[in-house]
Amino acid sequence: MSFFGLSEVQRQKMEKERETHRSFENKELRVRVVTTSDRDTDEVLLLKTKCLFQKQLSKMPREYILRQVFDSKHMNMVLVNKGDDVVGGVCYRPFFEEGFVEIVFLAVDYDFQVRGMGSVMMDIFKENIKREMVEYSGMAVDRVLGAVAYRNKEFDGLDHFLSMAGDGVQRPLYIVTYADNFAIGYFRKQGFSSDLRFSRWIGLIKDYEGGTIVECRVFWEINYLRRREFIGRIRERVFRDMERVNEYHVVRRIADYSTVKEIGDIPGVRSVSPQPQCRGSLNKLISYLISDLRSNPSAWPFLKPVDAAEVPDYYEHIKRPMDLSTMQSKLEDNRYPSIEPFVEDVRLMVDNCFRYNGRDTQYYKCAQKLLDNFNSKLEFYIHAINRFSS
Ligand code: COA
């Protein structure tokens, strides 16, 4: 398979990841899920897991780690080598009814760090909790344990996890954790964010000092062990479409620099820039700006008009409501003759939010982020905008 636009660094990462996958295929490494919820548990493996966390999370009290690893409500997904030594592990608590899993501890043994093991472990973990959510959701509570009785499992190779995608989209599933501030970069690389959208964990998980709460949505449509191929296919499609639309791939040379007096004199610029006095181009630009706003992670409160049934007093305070779907309809009805009324609507939407919500609310923060992003986009496109207006 060819990968358009993949850098050398990305290729190297892919190779590193493949090597780790091969260690599972060659049976040098195995995945085990172990929990005291299973009465027939492997206590030696649990002790080894506890030792790993103790070694890698040296600031955590030992007794505390012991209690968490041996808690029957918790499970431990552990990567072990041929000698059953623990190479990496995740201690987690499932809240499948609420649609999330809390990571309590996560660590890779020092000797295996910085080789992509942590990243592969997270991919396996995501596939593992999908499997468990399907298996355990709605299961009856064990009368002795007072919770769902989870079972120990052992997996040779990765086949079981590779077959997970395409099993049908289930309910939304999130991972939530208090990330140690030293490890926040690792969690970001694994798709975690401190911009929280999911809130059902509130009141259910413990607070940790010195940590930042982060969340990650687990997508059923993606098999995380094949995520690079998945991204590669999408990348390939995007670049192919771009070749057709704007010839981005054609390299044009400037033979004589003295002929370049303005930006449009640079070969290629004129053919890809929207042409002035073209009404269609203005609509295209506004349409692009709306879809860019919509796809922003902070846009969720602004996608549709505020529902008066959910926020009964909203329309008492906000007399000129605005949202992104209304802007889209106005655009389709040709009600933006120039860029200014559109920009006014974006600012109105954000101002309404500032006026109705307190500074500490998620809504206020989302509005601020959306506005900052919009302003920088506007600045970027100001040349094109001026051409439409002139
Ligand atoms: N800060 C910033 N980025 C980090 C990082 C850190 N502490 N640790 C790893 N990364 C990045 C890597 O650079 C890599 O990025 P890349 O994909 O761009 O190359 C990516 O995260 C994956 O790295 P990987 O080599 O797979 O991770 P690892 O095997 O070294 O494991 C930890 C990462 C965090 C699990 C491991 O360092 C560890 O066990 N730390 C101690 C325990 C801990 O802090 N756990 C988390 C809180 S419970």
Side-chain angles (χ1 to χ4, degrees), residues 153-207:
K153 295 258 158 105
E154 182 156 355
F155 304 96
D156 264 347
L158 295 177
D159 288 355
H160 189 85
F161 302 107
L162 284 165
S163 62
M164 276 303 298
D167 279 357
V169 177
Q170 310 284 329
R171 284 190 300 125
L173 172 61
Y174 284 84
I175 306 174
V176 176
T177 189
Y178 266 96
D180 188 296
N181 287 340
F182 292 109
I184 203 115
Y186 161 78
F187 282 105
R188 286 227 167 90
K189 294 259 166 99
Q190 312 310 315
F192 285 73
S193 162
S194 52
D195 267 346
L196 305 179
R197 294 205 203 174
F198 178 74
S199 58
R200 294 186 73 180
W201 55 272
I202 295 171
L204 293 173
I205 73 171
K206 292 167 284 295
D207 254 331

Side-chain angles (χ1 to χ4, degrees), residues 12 142 238 369 388:
Q12 280 170 8
D142 182 291
V238 169
K369 280 187 190 152
F388 296 133

Side-chain angles (χ1 to χ4, degrees), residues 17-212:
E17 218 167 81
R18 284 203 185 117
E19 216 171 280
T20 312
H21 285 195
R22 274 197 290 273
S23 312
F24 287 92
E25 281 150 24
N26 302 340
K27 317 259 190 275
E28 284 158 30
L29 292 175
R30 275 175 301 135
V31 181
R32 293 188 60 183
V33 177
V34 60
T35 166
T36 53
S37 165
D38 190 328
R39 279 164 226 171
D40 197 17
T41 200
D42 183 341
E43 272 137 7
V44 174
L45 186 60
L46 282 172
L47 276 174
K48 286 183 184 172
T49 309
K50 178 219 114 180
C51 288
L52 167 83
F53 293 138
Q54 207 172 290
K55 182 169 139 198
Q56 299 303 149
L57 297 160
S58 51
K59 282 193 238 138
M60 281 274 170
R62 288 163 174 229
E63 298 73 22
Y64 179 71
I65 296 179
L66 183 77
R67 269 207 311 276
Q68 304 305 313
V69 171
F70 279 77
D71 187 324
S72 63
K73 292 189 289 307
H74 292 175
M75 302 175 86
N76 299 274
M77 191 196 86
V78 185
L79 309 184
V80 293
N81 66 11
K82 278 182 176 166
D84 259 355
D85 297 321
V86 174
V87 164
V90 189
C91 175
Y92 59 105
R93 178 168 178 186
F95 289 90
F96 290 132
E97 289 306 313
E98 288 79 11
F100 79 100
V101 168
E102 176 198 2
I103 292 184
V104 182
F105 307 124
L106 172 147
V108 167
D109 185 82
Y110 187 74
D111 293 341
F112 291 83
Q113 287 179 13
V114 205
R115 295 195 215 161
M117 186 63 80
S119 178
V120 171
M121 183 167 78
M122 183 60 80
D123 293 340
I124 299 174
F125 180 67
K126 287 174 181 169
E127 293 306 317
N128 178 53
I129 60 171
K130 280 187 199 169
R131 176 190 66 77
E132 288 176 348
M133 186 161 175
V134 173
E135 198 175 327
Y136 291 115
S137 283
M139 258 179 70
V141 166
D142 182 291
R143 272 194 271 151
V144 178
L145 288 172
V148 170
Y150 300 115
R151 295 265 165 260
N152 292 338
K153 295 258 158 105
E154 182 156 355
F155 304 96
D156 264 347
L158 295 177
D159 288 355
H160 189 85
F161 302 107
L162 284 165
S163 62
M164 276 303 298
D167 279 357
V169 177
Q170 310 284 329
R171 284 190 300 125
L173 172 61
Y174 284 84
I175 306 174
V176 176
T177 189
Y178 266 96
D180 188 296
N181 287 340
F182 292 109
I184 203 115
Y186 161 78
F187 282 105
R188 286 227 167 90
K189 294 259 166 99
Q190 312 310 315
F192 285 73
S193 162
S194 52
D195 267 346
L196 305 179
R197 294 205 203 174
F198 178 74
S199 58
R200 294 186 73 180
W201 55 272
I202 295 171
L204 293 173
I205 73 171
K206 292 167 284 295
D207 254 331
Y208 290 93
E209 256 178 51
T212 304

